[in-house]
Amino acid sequence: MPRRVESTIRVGARDIFLTEAVSEGGATRPAAMVLLHGGGPGATGASNYVRNIDVLAAAGYRVLVPDMPGYGRSSKELDQSDPFGDLAIFVRGLLDALDVERAHLVGNSYGGAAALRLALDRPDRVEKLVLMGPGGIGSTRRPPTKGLSALLGYYGGDGPSRAKLDSFIRGQLVFDASSVPDELIDLRYRASVDPEVVANPPLRRPSGRGALRTLWRMDFTRDRARVARCEVPTLVVWGTHDKVNRPAGGPWLARTMPDCDLHLFARTGHWAQYEQAHRFNRLLLDWLDGGAA
């Protein structure tokens, strides 16, 4: 079994909780892998990638799994005027703190948006890019999906509750509700009601002065020229039944990015890496082996 080490490291002005996994014999791949989790209530790195971390570490990768700013045991501060930009700065700072020059970035949803933004801002820091149902692809072109509305509304109305979280995860995030055990719901719920998070939810609708500018910054289709210039080798993975981020974002990325492969999983929702764990892990490792550093 791979070894896991948990630590808290200083990244800029933030304390970041990090899970690091490597095989018993140590990493054999030259490029580290960073797994960036989604933005749903109670999300953490380890819970989002519970079915992937050990497999990827056993394949020889140094696997770095942070709780992103605003989540888990990491600092809760986030620049709400440009969330994806701030997350990209965080990822770059994490690599600096760990003395990692370039890494494979694997991002789900919110984490996918963070990974893509870093690839646009600093492609020299990204070896390869893997995006699972990333956020920000056409998000200002159509009204929010039912799943995204449920996500953004979790802390509104009567406030957070286990029933509301259960309905969101089993009803909106996955294709097969029975695939999510009660223990995962309980874990996510406890994290979602941290008083600091309730007071300052990390993922919310932009509001007030500058809201429109923020929304446009969070939609990569509004920055098509830069996306089209991004030559980082990219794999986009999407579930055909994703209720949070529309699967149409996958073909747009594949058409727009110069070196982008697209894989769609049938009977799969927003959590491809969880719902199709065995197939996803194999796809990811095979794709990275196709010329990976």
Side-chain angles (χ1 to χ4, degrees), residues 250-271:
W252 185 87
L253 286 168
R255 289 193 307 268
T256 305
M257 301 182 77
D259 190 359
C260 180
D261 295 320
L262 173 63
H263 187 97
L264 299 177
F265 280 115
R267 299 175 61 84
T268 304
H270 192 53
W271 272 357

Side-chain angles (χ1 to χ4, degrees), residues 34-37 49 68 83-92 95 103-132 134-135 137 220 226 230 232-235 257:
V34 181
L35 307 183
L36 300 170
H37 64 76
Y49 291 100
M68 296 207 297
F84 297 163
D86 195 23
L87 291 173
I89 291 171
F90 146 71
V91 178
R92 190 178 75 216
L95 297 180
H104 300 305
L105 299 187
V106 180
N108 172 226
S109 191
Y110 193 59
L116 179 55
R117 179 63 181 267
L118 182 59
L120 298 183
D121 292 350
R122 290 293 303 272
D124 58 303
R125 305 303 300 273
V126 185
E127 192 69 41
K128 286 193 173 185
L129 188 62
V130 181
L131 308 174
M132 297 92 76
I137 312 300
F220 293 103
R226 277 214 305 163
C230 182
V232 176
T234 300
L235 171 65
M257 301 182 77

